[in-house]
Amino acid sequence: MKEKVTIYDIAKALNVTAATVSRALNNNPKISEATRTLVLETAKKMNYEQNKFALALKSGKSHNVGVVVPFVNRNFFSSIIRGIEEELYPKGYHVIICQTHEDAKKEEETIQNLLNAQVDGILMSVSKHTQNLKHFEKVLKKNTPLVFFDRVKPLKGVSSVTIDDFRGGYEATEHLIKSGYSKIAHVTVDLSLSIYERRFEGYREALKDYDLPYNENYVVKAKSDIDSGEEAIKQLLKLKEAPDAVFSSSDFAALGAIRQLQSLGISVPQDFGVVGFSNEPFTQFMELSMSTVDQAPVEMGKMSAKVFLEQIKDVKVKVEKKVELSPELIVRKSSLK
Amino acid sequence: MKEKVTIYDIAKALNVTAATVSRALNNNPKISEATRTLVLETAKKMNYEQNKFALALKSGKSHNVGVVVPFVNRNFFSSIIRGIEEELYPKGYHVIICQTHEDAKKEEETIQNLLNAQVDGILMSVSKHTQNLKHFEKVLKKNTPLVFFDRVKPLKGVSSVTIDDFRGGYEATEHLIKSGYSKIAHVTVDLSLSIYERRFEGYREALKDYDLPYNENYVVKAKSDIDSGEEAIKQLLKLKEAPDAVFSSSDFAALGAIRQLQSLGISVPQDFGVVGFSNEPFTQFMELSMSTVDQAPVEMGKMSAKVFLEQIKDVKVKVEKKVELSPELIVRKSSLK
DNA sequence: TTGTATGCGTTATCAG
DNA sequence: CTGATAACGCATACAA
């Protein structure tokens, strides 16, 4: 049994040259139907498999795309990856996964690495701490398609896929207002990331549209975890005029808020409404299920992949496509009096 | 600016041959320290990057490993992937992700694809519906290291990393017994997968060791989802002598069970104890937090990667390593009277 | 220590 | 329509 069968082997078997075999295999028009079928048959018979490296070496295309996220085992990101994979796999692309651990240094290193591995494109969500954008310029200089999803940096020539975070924030807040809450606070995460900034803006706009006063003290910065949400709610309840609802840019912080409220005997949703953001799986599994905003991550992944595929079609034409998907407010128990 | 700088470019700049440059870059001993440093310097200066494809074509090694799982956006699997990635990335390997959607056909296709892409190894958890094992033999015949994690098939020459599911089942059941429950049922998932089979065996062994009768009617087959868990508990409660506790091989089914019990006015854990399996994130976020068995997925991923790395060291020596990690029983509210 | 020559498997160009 | 040959970028056996 041969270790590897190449086009030479099959050429030899057929008394033709490797070039002919290659042509037959690639549906090159300059070949007779007879030899084509003959080649195809014997190729199958001999278990021929194309060597991707030779092809890649020749063409410069690897048919690999790099996907860079902070962590793969976060539902939001793994769902995006799922979407990307499902879209790209049928087109013959493989998805190479890298994690940054929210570390800007590691992000740079990873990008360099992916470039080095000659991926055909990079799809990514930037790390929370990324300030310097030099490594992205390297990508662009190399003409490697770059697509940002969700966490975006402003960069010429880079396409992006996001959800309308403004609308998400607006609708979440509006929903609380319509549910009868009137003193609505906001727990934000990291305003240096535009996603959180825009959710905050949506919150303010909704207040304005419904003639509710905007109160600076009602806006608290937290981290995206339970403890931080507990802290935030404590701080809010200390205010002279405490709020009666909160829109949190993070589901985890919202969970912390609910727990803290309940432990203080404040009942949700009767006395206090809560809406989170992200539609993390746990939000629907809680007994007091949590209202939240769904970001359609699988869809976002698929769309990112599609944008990449478009971009790769005409490498000459530099498209800078900005796709904005719609968020979906999901009303559950935590915000219905 | 040059598009791509090769060892030829840097050779020309230094008036040496490409071979010399190659040697310098690869720390080949047969070269003078002087030229080596010179080459290294100018290489850096010229922004030289090794072409992986040329290397791969020459060596036959891609420095890519394929990871195949049913779905990437399931916490258990994405956590394993995280572990694999963290272990392999520093060694210069990239992780290529593929999903089977629990489809045996797609699994075969994926394996073939990965083989075709000449990955240096395949790490995977088999699909629920995989019966035919021919595609794995192809992998072995090609001498590509194959490592199974969690969901394993019996196959000569294949290493595997699992947790001690027997012990997990045993300890979960034992814990229920010690908590004062005596009529303990079991919700299983798919006994054709050895992981579920072994959890079931652990359950029976625990009953035996504590002199509790084994009752066939107490064992119900369900799917790994909430609805199915609800159905299972309904069935169990119809029995003449209904159980007072259940060990479920699935967290999701366990959640369904708890919901059903609560909606029937049976209070958990006072009247009925529940232990799940997997330590899905939601189990700790529920108000009535759920006892479960942690499978240490990140650790499992890391271990799988390590086994692969060992295997790749001596490709001549065919090791068949079976690593079994310890599960950890996590006691929460749902099983403490 | 360095240079020369060759092969890895394909595809593309140019003749025939 | 098909054959011969070069080229992709690198590593290595062999020669010097």
Side-chain angles (χ1 to χ4, degrees), chain B residues 58-97:
Chain B
K58 190 116 235 310
S59 67
K61 312 241 139 288
S62 65
H63 267 222
N64 284 156
V65 304
V67 174
V68 183
V69 293
F71 295 100
V72 302
N73 64 338
R74 278 253 285 273
N75 184 267
F76 176 65
F77 291 118
S78 62
S79 295
I80 288 180
I81 292 172
R82 171 167 171 178
I84 293 176
E85 214 272 339
E86 280 170 19
E87 195 71 25
L88 253 32
Y89 184 80
K91 307 277 183 183
Y93 284 93
H94 280 305
V95 173
I96 292 183
I97 296 295

Side-chain angles (χ1 to χ4, degrees), chain A residues 17 20 23 30-31 35 58:
Chain A
T17 164
T20 307
R23 279 190 275 258
K30 304 174 161 209
I31 195 167
T35 45
K58 192 114 234 313

Side-chain angles (χ1 to χ4, degrees), chain A residues 145-160:
Chain A
L146 179 58
V147 179
F148 286 144
F149 51 80
D150 197 53
R151 298 181 183 181
V152 170
K153 289 287 176 186
L155 217 52
K156 269 229 153 44
V158 180
S159 295
S160 66

